[in-house]
Coordinates of all heavy atoms in Angstrom, one line a residue:
M1 N -23.9 -8.8 4.2 CA -23.1 -9.7 5.0 C -22.4 -9.0 6.2 O -22.6 -9.4 7.3 CB -22.1 -10.4 4.1 CG -21.5 -11.6 4.7 SD -22.6 -13.0 5.0 CE -22.3 -14.1 3.7
R2 N -21.7 -8.0 5.9 CA -21.0 -7.2 6.9 C -22.0 -6.6 8.0 O -21.7 -6.6 9.1 CB -20.2 -6.1 6.3 CG -18.8 -6.4 6.0 CD -17.9 -5.3 6.4 NE -16.5 -5.7 6.2 CZ -15.8 -6.2 7.2 NH1 -16.3 -6.5 8.3 NH2 -14.5 -6.5 7.0
K3 N -23.1 -6.2 7.5 CA -24.1 -5.6 8.4 C -24.5 -6.6 9.5 O -24.7 -6.2 10.7 CB -25.3 -5.1 7.7 CG -25.2 -3.6 7.3 CD -26.5 -3.2 6.6 CE -26.2 -1.7 6.0 NZ -27.3 -1.4 5.1
N4 N -24.7 -7.8 9.1 CA -25.1 -8.9 10.0 C -24.1 -9.1 11.1 O -24.4 -9.1 12.3 CB -25.4 -10.2 9.3 CG -26.8 -10.2 8.7 OD1 -27.7 -9.5 9.2 ND2 -27.0 -11.1 7.7
I5 N -22.9 -9.2 10.7 CA -21.8 -9.4 11.6 C -21.7 -8.2 12.6 O -21.6 -8.5 13.8 CB -20.4 -9.5 10.8 CG1 -20.4 -10.8 10.0 CG2 -19.3 -9.5 11.8 CD1 -19.3 -10.9 9.0
R6 N -21.8 -7.1 12.1 CA -21.7 -5.9 13.0 C -22.8 -5.9 14.0 O -22.5 -5.5 15.2 CB -21.7 -4.6 12.1 CG -21.0 -3.5 12.8 CD -20.8 -2.3 11.8 NE -19.5 -2.4 11.1 CZ -19.2 -1.5 10.2 NH1 -20.0 -0.6 9.8 NH2 -18.0 -1.6 9.6
A7 N -24.0 -6.2 13.6 CA -25.1 -6.2 14.5 C -24.9 -7.2 15.7 O -25.2 -7.0 16.8 CB -26.4 -6.5 13.8
K8 N -24.3 -8.3 15.3 CA -24.1 -9.4 16.3 C -23.0 -9.1 17.2 O -22.9 -9.6 18.4 CB -23.9 -10.7 15.6 CG -25.2 -11.4 15.1 CD -24.9 -12.7 14.4 CE -26.2 -13.3 13.9 NZ -25.9 -14.4 13.0
T9 N -22.0 -8.3 16.8 CA -20.9 -8.1 17.7 C -21.0 -6.7 18.3 O -20.0 -6.0 18.4 CB -19.6 -8.2 16.9 OG1 -19.6 -7.4 15.7 CG2 -19.3 -9.6 16.5
N10 N -22.2 -6.3 18.5 CA -22.4 -4.9 19.1 C -21.8 -4.8 20.5 O -21.4 -3.7 20.9 CB -23.9 -4.7 19.1 CG -24.2 -3.2 18.8 OD1 -23.3 -2.4 18.7 ND2 -25.5 -2.9 18.8
I11 N -21.8 -5.9 21.2 CA -21.3 -5.9 22.6 C -19.7 -5.7 22.6 O -19.0 -6.3 21.8 CB -21.6 -7.2 23.3 CG1 -23.1 -7.5 23.2 CG2 -21.0 -7.2 24.7 CD1 -23.4 -9.0 23.4
R12 N -19.3 -4.8 23.4 CA -17.8 -4.5 23.5 C -17.1 -5.7 24.0 O -17.4 -6.3 25.0 CB -17.6 -3.4 24.5 CG -16.7 -2.3 23.9 CD -16.6 -1.2 24.9 NE -15.3 -1.4 25.7 CZ -14.2 -0.8 25.4 NH1 -14.1 0.1 24.5 NH2 -13.1 -1.0 26.1
V13 N -16.0 -6.1 23.3 CA -15.2 -7.2 23.7 C -14.1 -6.7 24.6 O -13.3 -6.0 24.3 CB -14.6 -8.0 22.5 CG1 -13.8 -9.1 23.0 CG2 -15.7 -8.4 21.5
E14 N -14.2 -7.2 25.9 CA -13.2 -6.7 26.9 C -12.0 -7.6 26.9 O -10.9 -7.1 27.4 CB -13.8 -6.7 28.3 CG -15.0 -5.8 28.4 CD -14.6 -4.3 28.4 OE1 -13.4 -4.0 28.5 OE2 -15.5 -3.4 28.2
S15 N -12.1 -8.8 26.4 CA -11.0 -9.7 26.4 C -10.2 -9.7 25.1 O -9.8 -10.7 24.6 CB -11.4 -11.1 26.8 OG -12.4 -11.5 25.8
A16 N -10.0 -8.5 24.6 CA -9.2 -8.4 23.3 C -7.8 -8.8 23.6 O -7.2 -8.6 24.7 CB -9.2 -7.0 22.8
P17 N -7.2 -9.5 22.7 CA -5.8 -10.1 22.9 C -4.7 -9.0 23.0 O -3.7 -9.2 23.5 CB -5.6 -10.9 21.6 CG -6.5 -10.4 20.6 CD -7.7 -9.9 21.4
M18 N -5.1 -7.8 22.5 CA -4.1 -6.7 22.4 C -3.9 -6.1 23.8 O -4.9 -5.5 24.3 CB -4.5 -5.7 21.4 CG -3.6 -4.4 21.4 SD -1.9 -4.7 21.1 CE -1.2 -3.2 21.6
P19 N -2.7 -6.2 24.4 CA -2.5 -5.5 25.7 C -2.5 -4.0 25.5 O -2.1 -3.5 24.5 CB -1.2 -6.0 26.2 CG -0.5 -6.4 24.9 CD -1.5 -6.8 23.9
K20 N -3.0 -3.3 26.5 CA -3.1 -1.8 26.4 C -1.6 -1.3 26.4 O -0.8 -1.7 27.2 CB -3.8 -1.3 27.7 CG -4.0 0.2 27.6 CD -4.9 0.6 28.8 CE -5.3 2.0 28.8 NZ -4.2 3.0 28.9
V21 N -1.4 -0.4 25.5 CA -0.1 0.2 25.4 C 0.0 1.4 26.4 O -0.7 2.4 26.2 CB 0.3 0.7 24.0 CG1 1.6 1.3 23.9 CG2 0.1 -0.5 23.0
E22 N 0.8 1.3 27.4 CA 0.8 2.3 28.5 C 1.2 3.7 28.0 O 0.7 4.7 28.5 CB 1.7 1.8 29.6 CG 1.4 0.5 30.2 CD 0.1 0.5 31.0 OE1 -0.3 1.5 31.4 OE2 -0.4 -0.6 31.2
W23 N 2.0 3.7 27.0 CA 2.5 5.0 26.6 C 1.9 5.5 25.3 O 2.3 6.5 24.7 CB 4.0 4.8 26.3 CG 4.4 3.6 25.5 CD1 4.7 2.4 26.0 CD2 4.6 3.5 24.1 NE1 5.1 1.5 25.0 CE2 5.0 2.2 23.8 CE3 4.4 4.4 23.1 CZ2 5.2 1.8 22.5 CZ3 4.6 4.0 21.7 CH2 5.0 2.7 21.5
A24 N 0.7 4.9 24.9 CA 0.1 5.3 23.7 C -0.3 6.8 23.7 O -0.2 7.4 22.7 CB -1.2 4.4 23.5
S25 N -0.7 7.3 24.9 CA -1.1 8.6 24.9 C 0.0 9.7 24.7 O -0.3 10.8 24.3 CB -1.8 8.9 26.3 OG -0.9 8.6 27.3
I26 N 1.2 9.2 24.9 CA 2.3 10.2 24.7 C 3.1 9.8 23.5 O 4.1 10.4 23.1 CB 3.3 10.2 25.9 CG1 3.8 8.8 26.2 CG2 2.6 10.8 27.1 CD1 5.0 8.7 27.1
S27 N 2.6 8.8 22.7 CA 3.4 8.4 21.5 C 3.3 9.4 20.4 O 2.5 10.3 20.4 CB 2.8 7.1 21.0 OG 1.4 7.3 20.6
L28 N 4.3 9.3 19.6 CA 4.4 10.3 18.5 C 4.0 9.6 17.2 O 4.2 8.4 17.0 CB 5.9 10.7 18.3 CG 6.5 11.5 19.5 CD1 8.0 11.7 19.3 CD2 5.8 12.8 19.8
D29 N 3.5 10.4 16.3 CA 3.1 9.9 15.0 C 4.4 9.6 14.2 O 5.2 10.5 14.0 CB 2.3 11.0 14.3 CG 1.6 10.5 13.0 OD1 2.2 9.6 12.4 OD2 0.5 11.0 12.7
C30 N 4.5 8.4 13.7 CA 5.7 8.0 13.0 C 6.0 8.9 11.8 O 7.1 9.3 11.4 CB 5.7 6.6 12.6 SG 6.0 5.4 13.9
A31 N 4.9 9.3 11.1 CA 5.0 10.1 9.9 C 5.6 11.4 10.2 O 6.4 12.0 9.4 CB 3.7 10.2 9.2
A32 N 5.3 11.9 11.4 CA 5.7 13.3 11.8 C 7.2 13.3 12.2 O 7.9 14.4 12.0 CB 4.9 13.8 13.0
V33 N 7.8 12.2 12.6 CA 9.2 12.1 12.9 C 10.0 11.2 12.0 O 11.0 10.6 12.4 CB 9.4 11.7 14.4 CG1 8.8 12.8 15.4 CG2 8.6 10.4 14.7
G34 N 9.4 11.0 10.8 CA 10.0 10.1 9.9 C 11.5 10.3 9.6 O 12.2 9.3 9.5
N35 N 11.9 11.5 9.6 CA 13.4 11.7 9.3 C 14.3 11.2 10.4 O 15.4 10.7 10.1 CB 13.6 13.3 9.2 CG 13.1 13.8 7.9 OD1 12.9 13.0 6.9 ND2 12.9 15.1 7.8
M36 N 13.7 11.2 11.6 CA 14.5 10.7 12.7 C 14.5 9.2 12.9 O 15.3 8.6 13.6 CB 14.0 11.4 14.0 CG 14.2 12.9 14.0 SD 13.3 13.7 15.3 CE 14.5 13.6 16.7
L37 N 13.6 8.6 12.2 CA 13.4 7.2 12.3 C 14.1 6.4 11.2 O 14.0 5.2 11.1 CB 11.9 6.8 12.3 CG 11.1 7.2 13.5 CD1 9.6 6.9 13.3 CD2 11.6 6.6 14.8
R38 N 14.8 7.1 10.4 CA 15.5 6.5 9.3 C 16.5 5.5 9.8 O 17.4 5.8 10.6 CB 16.3 7.6 8.5 CG 16.4 7.3 7.0 CD 17.1 8.4 6.3 NE 16.4 9.6 6.3 CZ 15.9 10.3 5.3 NH1 16.2 9.8 4.1 NH2 15.3 11.4 5.4
G39 N 16.4 4.3 9.3 CA 17.4 3.2 9.6 C 17.1 2.6 11.0 O 17.8 1.8 11.5
V40 N 16.0 3.1 11.6 CA 15.7 2.5 13.0 C 14.7 1.4 12.8 O 13.7 1.5 12.1 CB 15.1 3.6 13.9 CG1 14.6 3.1 15.2 CG2 16.1 4.7 14.1
D41 N 14.9 0.3 13.6 CA 13.9 -0.8 13.6 C 12.9 -0.5 14.7 O 13.2 0.0 15.7 CB 14.6 -2.1 13.8 CG 15.5 -2.5 12.7 OD1 15.1 -2.3 11.5 OD2 16.6 -3.1 12.9
G42 N 11.7 -1.0 14.4 CA 10.6 -0.9 15.4 C 10.2 -2.2 15.9 O 10.2 -3.2 15.1
V43 N 9.8 -2.3 17.2 CA 9.3 -3.5 17.7 C 8.0 -3.2 18.4 O 7.9 -2.3 19.3 CB 10.3 -4.1 18.8 CG1 9.7 -5.4 19.3 CG2 11.6 -4.4 18.2
C44 N 6.9 -3.9 18.0 CA 5.6 -3.7 18.6 C 5.3 -4.8 19.6 O 5.9 -5.9 19.6 CB 4.5 -3.7 17.5 SG 2.9 -3.4 18.2
G45 N 4.4 -4.5 20.6 CA 4.1 -5.5 21.6 C 3.5 -6.7 21.1 O 3.5 -7.8 21.7
C46 N 3.0 -6.7 19.8 CA 2.3 -7.9 19.3 C 3.3 -8.8 18.5 O 2.9 -9.7 17.9 CB 1.2 -7.4 18.3 SG 1.9 -6.7 16.8
T47 N 4.6 -8.5 18.6 CA 5.7 -9.2 18.0 C 6.0 -8.7 16.6 O 6.8 -9.2 15.9 CB 5.5 -10.7 17.9 OG1 4.4 -11.0 16.9 CG2 5.1 -11.3 19.2
W48 N 5.2 -7.7 16.1 CA 5.5 -7.1 14.8 C 6.9 -6.4 14.9 O 7.3 -5.8 15.9 CB 4.5 -6.0 14.5 CG 4.8 -5.4 13.1 CD1 4.3 -5.8 11.9 CD2 5.5 -4.2 12.9 NE1 4.7 -4.9 10.9 CE2 5.5 -4.0 11.5 CE3 6.3 -3.3 13.7 CZ2 6.2 -2.9 10.9 CZ3 7.0 -2.3 13.1 CH2 6.9 -2.1 11.7
R49 N 7.7 -6.7 13.9 CA 9.0 -6.0 13.8 C 9.2 -5.5 12.3 O 8.8 -6.2 11.4 CB 10.1 -7.1 14.0 CG 10.5 -7.2 15.5 CD 11.6 -8.3 15.6 NE 12.2 -8.2 16.9 CZ 13.3 -7.5 17.2 NH1 13.9 -6.9 16.3 NH2 13.7 -7.5 18.4
G50 N 9.8 -4.4 12.2 CA 10.1 -3.9 10.9 C 10.6 -2.4 11.0 O 10.9 -2.0 12.1
P51 N 10.8 -1.8 9.9 CA 11.3 -0.4 9.9 C 10.4 0.4 10.7 O 9.1 0.4 10.5 CB 11.3 0.0 8.5 CG 11.4 -1.3 7.7 CD 10.6 -2.3 8.5
A52 N 10.9 1.2 11.7 CA 10.0 2.0 12.6 C 9.1 3.0 11.8 O 8.0 3.3 12.2 CB 10.9 2.8 13.6
I53 N 9.6 3.4 10.6 CA 8.9 4.3 9.8 C 7.6 3.7 9.3 O 6.6 4.4 8.9 CB 9.8 4.9 8.7 CG1 9.1 6.0 7.9 CG2 10.1 3.8 7.7 CD1 8.9 7.3 8.8
Q54 N 7.5 2.4 9.2 CA 6.3 1.7 8.8 C 5.3 1.5 9.8 O 4.2 1.1 9.6 CB 6.7 0.4 8.1 CG 7.3 0.5 6.8 CD 7.7 -0.9 6.2 OE1 7.2 -1.9 6.6 NE2 8.6 -0.8 5.2
A55 N 5.6 1.8 11.1 CA 4.7 1.7 12.2 C 3.9 3.0 12.2 O 4.1 3.9 11.5 CB 5.4 1.4 13.5
Q56 N 2.9 3.0 13.1 CA 2.0 4.2 13.2 C 2.5 5.1 14.3 O 2.5 6.3 14.1 CB 0.6 3.7 13.6 CG -0.1 3.0 12.4 CD -0.2 3.9 11.2 OE1 -0.7 5.0 11.3 NE2 0.3 3.4 10.1
R57 N 2.9 4.6 15.4 CA 3.3 5.4 16.6 C 4.6 5.0 17.1 O 4.9 3.8 17.0 CB 2.2 5.3 17.7 CG 0.8 5.3 17.3 CD 0.3 6.7 16.9 NE 0.5 7.7 17.9 CZ 0.2 9.0 17.8 NH1 -0.3 9.5 16.6 NH2 0.4 9.8 18.7
V58 N 5.3 5.9 17.7 CA 6.6 5.5 18.3 C 6.8 6.1 19.7 O 6.2 7.2 19.9 CB 7.8 6.0 17.4 CG1 7.8 7.5 17.2 CG2 9.1 5.5 17.9
H59 N 7.5 5.4 20.6 CA 7.7 6.0 21.9 C 8.6 7.2 21.8 O 9.6 7.1 21.2 CB 8.3 4.9 22.8 CG 8.3 5.2 24.2 ND1 8.9 6.2 24.8 CD2 7.6 4.6 25.3 CE1 8.7 6.3 26.1 NE2 7.9 5.3 26.4
P60 N 8.2 8.3 22.4 CA 9.0 9.5 22.3 C 10.4 9.4 22.8 O 11.3 10.1 22.3 CB 8.2 10.5 23.1 CG 7.3 9.7 24.0 CD 7.0 8.5 23.3
E61 N 10.7 8.5 23.7 CA 12.0 8.4 24.3 C 12.9 7.4 23.4 O 14.1 7.3 23.6 CB 12.0 7.8 25.7 CG 11.5 8.8 26.7 CD 11.2 8.2 28.0 OE1 11.7 7.1 28.3 OE2 10.5 8.9 28.9
D62 N 12.2 6.8 22.4 CA 12.9 5.8 21.6 C 13.3 6.2 20.2 O 13.8 5.4 19.4 CB 12.1 4.5 21.5 CG 12.0 3.7 22.8 OD1 12.5 4.3 23.8 OD2 11.5 2.6 22.8
I63 N 13.1 7.5 19.9 CA 13.4 8.0 18.6 C 14.9 7.8 18.2 O 15.2 7.6 17.1 CB 13.0 9.5 18.5 CG1 11.5 9.6 18.5 CG2 13.5 10.1 17.2 CD1 11.0 11.0 18.5
T64 N 15.7 7.9 19.3 CA 17.2 7.7 19.0 C 17.7 6.4 19.4 O 18.9 6.1 19.5 CB 17.9 8.8 19.8 OG1 17.6 8.7 21.2 CG2 17.6 10.2 19.2
V65 N 16.7 5.5 19.7 CA 17.1 4.1 20.2 C 16.8 3.1 19.1 O 15.8 3.3 18.3 CB 16.3 3.7 21.5 CG1 16.6 2.3 21.9 CG2 16.5 4.7 22.6
N66 N 17.6 2.1 19.0 CA 17.4 1.1 18.0 C 17.5 -0.3 18.6 O 18.6 -0.6 19.1 CB 18.4 1.3 16.8 CG 18.0 0.5 15.6 OD1 17.0 -0.2 15.6 ND2 18.8 0.6 14.5
P67 N 16.5 -1.1 18.7 CA 15.2 -0.9 18.1 C 14.3 0.0 19.0 O 14.5 0.1 20.2 CB 14.6 -2.3 18.0 CG 15.2 -3.0 19.1 CD 16.6 -2.4 19.2
A68 N 13.4 0.7 18.4 CA 12.5 1.5 19.1 C 11.1 0.8 19.4 O 10.7 0.0 18.6 CB 12.2 2.8 18.3
R69 N 10.5 1.2 20.5 CA 9.2 0.6 20.7 C 8.2 1.4 19.9 O 8.2 2.6 19.9 CB 8.8 0.9 22.2 CG 9.5 -0.1 23.2 CD 9.3 0.4 24.6 NE 10.2 1.6 24.9 CZ 10.2 2.2 26.0 NH1 9.5 1.8 27.0 NH2 11.0 3.3 26.2
V70 N 7.4 0.6 19.2 CA 6.4 1.2 18.3 C 5.1 0.6 18.4 O 4.9 -0.5 19.1 CB 6.9 1.1 16.8 CG1 8.2 1.8 16.5 CG2 6.9 -0.4 16.4
I71 N 4.1 1.2 17.9 CA 2.7 0.6 17.7 C 2.5 0.4 16.3 O 2.5 1.4 15.5 CB 1.6 1.5 18.3 CG1 2.0 1.8 19.8 CG2 0.3 0.8 18.2 CD1 1.0 2.8 20.4
C72 N 2.3 -0.9 15.9 CA 2.2 -1.1 14.4 C 0.8 -0.7 14.0 O -0.1 -0.4 14.7 CB 2.5 -2.6 14.1 SG 1.2 -3.7 14.7
D73 N 0.6 -0.8 12.7 CA -0.6 -0.4 12.0 C -1.8 -1.1 12.6 O -2.8 -0.6 13.0 CB -0.5 -0.6 10.5 CG -1.7 0.0 9.8 OD1 -2.1 1.1 10.1 OD2 -2.2 -0.7 8.9
A74 N -1.7 -2.5 12.7 CA -2.8 -3.3 13.2 C -3.2 -3.0 14.6 O -4.3 -2.9 15.0 CB -2.4 -4.8 13.1
C75 N -2.1 -2.8 15.5 CA -2.4 -2.5 16.9 C -3.0 -1.1 17.1 O -3.8 -0.9 18.0 CB -1.1 -2.6 17.7 SG -0.6 -4.3 17.8
D76 N -2.5 -0.2 16.3 CA -3.0 1.2 16.4 C -4.5 1.2 16.1 O -5.3 2.0 16.7 CB -2.3 2.1 15.4 CG -2.6 3.6 15.6 OD1 -2.4 4.0 16.8 OD2 -2.9 4.3 14.7
K77 N -5.0 0.4 15.2 CA -6.4 0.3 14.9 C -7.2 -0.3 16.0 O -8.4 0.0 16.1 CB -6.6 -0.4 13.6 CG -6.3 0.4 12.3 CD -6.4 -0.4 11.1 CE -6.0 0.5 9.9 NZ -5.3 -0.3 8.8
Q78 N -6.5 -1.2 16.7 CA -7.2 -1.9 17.8 C -7.3 -1.1 19.1 O -8.1 -1.4 19.9 CB -6.5 -3.2 18.1 CG -6.9 -4.3 17.1 CD -6.2 -5.6 17.5 OE1 -6.3 -6.1 18.6 NE2 -5.5 -6.2 16.6
R79 N -6.4 -0.3 19.3 CA -6.3 0.3 20.6 C -7.5 1.2 20.9 O -8.0 1.9 20.0 CB -4.9 1.0 20.8 CG -4.8 2.3 20.1 CD -3.3 2.7 20.2 NE -3.0 3.9 19.3 CZ -3.2 5.1 19.8 NH1 -3.5 5.4 21.1 NH2 -3.0 6.2 19.0
T80 N -7.8 1.3 22.2 CA -9.0 1.9 22.6 C -8.8 3.2 23.4 O -9.7 3.9 23.8 CB -9.9 1.0 23.4 OG1 -9.1 0.4 24.5 CG2 -10.4 -0.2 22.6
D81 N -7.5 3.4 23.7 CA -7.3 4.6 24.6 C -7.0 5.9 23.8 O -6.9 5.8 22.6 CB -6.1 4.4 25.5 CG -4.9 3.8 24.8 OD1 -4.6 4.4 23.7 OD2 -4.4 2.8 25.2
Ligands
ZN12 ZN1 1.4 -4.5 16.9

């Protein structure tokens, strides 16, 4: 079943709903800075909100900011840069 779907969607979808995160290339791994994200809320561009430590990436300038700009798990998997 999955194989069929994959074959049909071989063409790259350019109109993905996820906007490109401009700062993705300089973002930090949340797990690596977990101690600094304690008690910090994260806000992702897709409207995801939650503890920053549960996101995948965080803006390097926002580690001491609450809420911090983050890239959530779902968006991190979708991003292409
Ligand atoms: Zn997101």
